[in-house]
Amino acid sequence: MKNIAVIGVGYVGLVTGTCFADLGNRVTCVDVNEERIANLKQGILPIYEPGLEEVVRRNLAAGRLSFTTSYAEALNCPEAPAELVFIAVNTPTGVDGEAELRYVRAAAEMIAQTMDHPLIIVNKSTVPVGTGDWVADIVRNKQPKPIPFSVVSNPEFLREGSALSDFMNPDRIVLGSLDEEAAQKVAQLYLPLRGPIMITDPRTAEMIKYASNAFLATKISFINEIANICEALGADVKEVAAGMGYDKRIGRAFLDAGLGYGGSCFPKDVKALAHMANVQGKHPQLLEAVMQINADARRSIVAKVRALVGNNSTHLNRLEGKTIGVLGLAFKANTDDIRESQPIDIIRMIQADGGTVKAYDPVAMPNAAKVLHNVKLCADAYEVAEGSDALILATEWNEFKNLDLARIKRIMKQPVIVDGRNLYDPPAMRELGFIYRGVGRGY
Ligand code: UDX
């Protein structure tokens, strides 16, 4: 059992703190947002993540997990002084595509000013290569009097929607530090998870995170490029991906063609890696192509809708007078996150083209309502379909997998479905009388 402080109760901080508490540690999570902390004390979460609320409540009740806005309480509690403090604040994209470090700086400064005993500072936020050294400098310079500390980089690899099981069943734990003893202490926390633990230097650890996410994003853009070619040549990208995936060197994961990647990590991390490369005078050609193909995946969905139901008159915008239904608003299933969400982007493109949009998502509608304008948010998929000229399947929620498609066809104005997630079977859809387009399904 160790005493741990976690800074930031966003996605990464909350999952990390909660899981460490569940493993028997005593964890205090600190955040500057008073409303979030007040809610969390009552077990009310700021995010939707399957299973997380139950684990938070269980550990709150057991007294292993607590929430505060006070750094002093989190770090220096007399009965349980923290031995390790995790920085898990967000690093939004800055104006030039770089990862913005103002919250990391604020956390490092607060730690420096508050700590009254030696600490291991563990950085979980995704930060530019070299940030470990920068954090150490900040802490050293801001301490009122010198107190020993070490910095360890420990990138996270959690996926939204399956974050708990990703945490508890890690493919690997990466630790980067020049202080072997500090790295070993962090490693001990993860021993119960039985995942491989790799200890390296801080810059390499930080790079492993960027390279991993950039590689996965590359797989997605690769299969979307193949999908495009499949459409032209009459092949089925789903079968192509399955056939490729049998090769162990390739693997089947992250070869689902569709709307491209969205969310809080891939878009930001690929951009930040390209930015780091450019700053160093390197030319990240592959990363640039990955980003361009990703942007095209969204545009190509709108292009399909235009081609199927758009006006041909030069007096009208292509989608003027057309109602387009959008099923799903989250950037993927099992999350309410709409950051860099493909469906939201697609909706804006349709609106810019004169179209009217109706939409439904099982959990992301409250978030989407804050950023969308003039979109009719519906109670379910059927209300979206009613009177629509075309339906876009934008997020692969389970509840869209077994829709009553005969009913959908009856209530739509035109039976047109553009399936951005390749959820349906093209021949079966045609059999039902739909005009159906998936992504990369050229047969
Ligand atoms: C990702 C990484 O997987 C995780 O390791 C990291 O820590 C944070 O970023 P997440 O953003 O939660 O996790 O989502 P992920 O499941 O990886 O999907 C990212 C995006 O790619 C989603 O929009 C998803 O729909 C899309 N995707 C994924 C595809 O388009 N095709 C695929 O084959 C896989």
Side-chain angles (χ1 to χ4, degrees):
M1 200 274 294
K2 287 204 188 308
N3 297 323
I4 300 170
V6 176
I7 298 171
V9 291
Y11 212 88
V12 175
L14 191 56
V15 172
T16 303
T18 304
C19 288
F20 277 139
D22 209 44
L23 289 170
N25 300 289
R26 187 160 158 173
V27 179
T28 309
C29 296
V30 54
D31 198 291
V32 288
N33 186 325
E34 291 180 6
E35 191 189 336
R36 276 191 169 193
I37 292 296
N39 282 334
L40 280 164
K41 282 181 176 172
Q42 298 175 50
I44 301 167
L45 272 51
I47 49 162
Y48 171 84
E49 175 64 27
L52 184 59
E53 188 172 293
E54 190 201 320
V55 191
V56 167
R57 292 188 173 195
R58 184 167 73 226
N59 285 283
L60 267 175
R64 286 189 297 266
L65 181 63
S66 57
F67 297 97
T68 179
T69 53
S70 156
Y71 273 72
E73 198 180 317
L75 296 181
N76 305 336
C77 171
E79 306 90 67
E83 188 179 342
L84 303 113
V85 53
F86 283 78
I87 300 181
V89 295
N90 58 336
T91 50
T93 300
V95 277
D96 293 325
E98 79 280 15
E100 230 278 337
L101 291 176
R102 110 185 79 131
Y103 302 118
V104 177
R105 174 191 283 279
E109 289 180 356
M110 284 301 289
I111 292 170
Q113 284 156 10
T114 314
M115 64 191 279
D116 67 359
H117 59 280
L119 269 180
I120 298 172
I121 300 169
V122 190
N123 188 26
K124 265 225 166 277
S125 301
T126 300
V127 289
V129 175
T131 301
D133 303 339
W134 179 78
V135 165
D137 282 346
I138 292 176
V139 175
R140 209 170 292 119
N141 292 331
K142 290 283 171 182
Q143 280 181 332
K145 58 174 195 297
I147 302 174
F149 69 92
S150 302
V151 176
V152 178
S153 162
N154 172 212
E156 57 86 18
F157 300 100
L158 309 173
R159 282 166 303 175
E160 294 186 15
S162 57
L164 287 184
S165 83
D166 285 351
F167 187 97
M168 292 298 182
N169 306 288
D171 284 340
R172 80 300 211 183
I173 314 289
V174 175
L175 300 173
S177 185
L178 300 176
D179 178 346
E180 174 75 22
E181 200 186 322
Q184 288 296 351
K185 282 205 173 130
V186 183
Q188 275 168 25
L189 280 180
Y190 287 102
L191 285 182
L193 305 181
R194 296 168 190 277
I197 297 178
M198 174 179 177
I199 298 183
T200 180
D201 67 89
R203 282 170 185 257
T204 303
E206 288 161 350
M207 191 62 180
I208 287 171
K209 166 72 188 215
Y210 279 107
S212 301
N213 275 359
F215 182 75
L216 293 171
T218 304
K219 273 188 108 174
I220 297 170
S221 280
F222 175 83
I223 202 67
N224 279 329
E225 176 138 307
I226 296 295
N228 241 333
I229 305 171
C230 282
E231 279 180 14
L233 296 180
D236 180 0
V237 76
K238 259 188 125 159
E239 301 277 306
V240 171
M244 289 168 65
Y246 285 116
D247 187 326
K248 289 189 199 66
R249 295 168 301 176
I250 299 174
R252 174 63 186 81
F254 281 74
L255 286 181
D256 289 325
L259 307 179
Y261 56 83
S264 64
C265 288
F266 287 175
K268 176 168 76 78
D269 294 351
V270 178
K271 219 182 277 169
L273 183 55
H275 177 80
M276 282 184 265
N278 279 317
V279 166
Q280 296 302 325
K282 304 293 174 191
H283 184 196
Q285 306 166 64
L286 180 59
L287 300 180
E288 301 291 351
V290 166
M291 290 189 277
Q292 283 164 17
I293 293 167
N294 198 52
D296 275 355
R298 301 173 184 203
R299 293 187 200 114
S300 112
I301 295 292
V302 182
K304 282 176 182 157
V305 172
R306 273 193 206 122
L308 291 169
V309 303
N311 302 307
N312 288 319
S313 158
T314 47
H315 305 301
L316 291 173
N317 278 329
R318 285 300 297 276
L319 293 176
E320 209 161 311
K322 307 292 174 186
T323 300
I324 313 301
V326 177
L327 297 182
L329 294 164
F331 78 98
K332 66 174 192 177
N334 299 322
T335 176
D336 65 348
D337 201 336
I338 54 154
R339 284 177 286 177
E340 297 282 340
S341 154
Q342 314 88 323
I344 303 274
D345 234 20
I346 287 170
I347 288 173
R348 292 197 175 123
M349 286 187 248
I350 294 168
Q351 289 180 321
D353 217 2
T356 301
V357 178
K358 296 165 82 178
Y360 164 74
D361 186 287
V363 302
M365 284 205 290
N367 282 340
K370 292 179 202 154
V371 300
L372 288 173
H373 302 287
N374 300 322
V375 172
K376 182 172 184 334
L377 297 175
C378 299
D380 59 20
Y382 301 100
E383 195 187 334
V384 174
E386 181 106 50
S388 286
D389 291 282
L391 212 50
I392 299 174
L393 193 294
T395 311
E396 71 285 20
W397 285 99
N398 272 341
E399 69 175 73
F400 299 147
K401 290 181 182 162
N402 281 310
L403 290 174
D404 179 349
L405 290 165
R407 179 175 164 204
I408 297 263
K409 177 167 177 280
R410 266 198 316 278
I411 58 182
M412 287 184 73
K413 195 160 166 195
Q414 308 186 56
V416 173
I417 293 194
V418 176
D419 180 355
R421 299 286 184 168
N422 285 342
L423 227 50
Y424 305 124
D425 179 42
M429 294 301 281
R430 283 197 284 270
E431 185 100 332
L432 279 166
F434 281 101
I435 298 166
Y436 173 86
R437 297 284 184 280
V439 177
R441 315 198 74 186
Y443 66 101

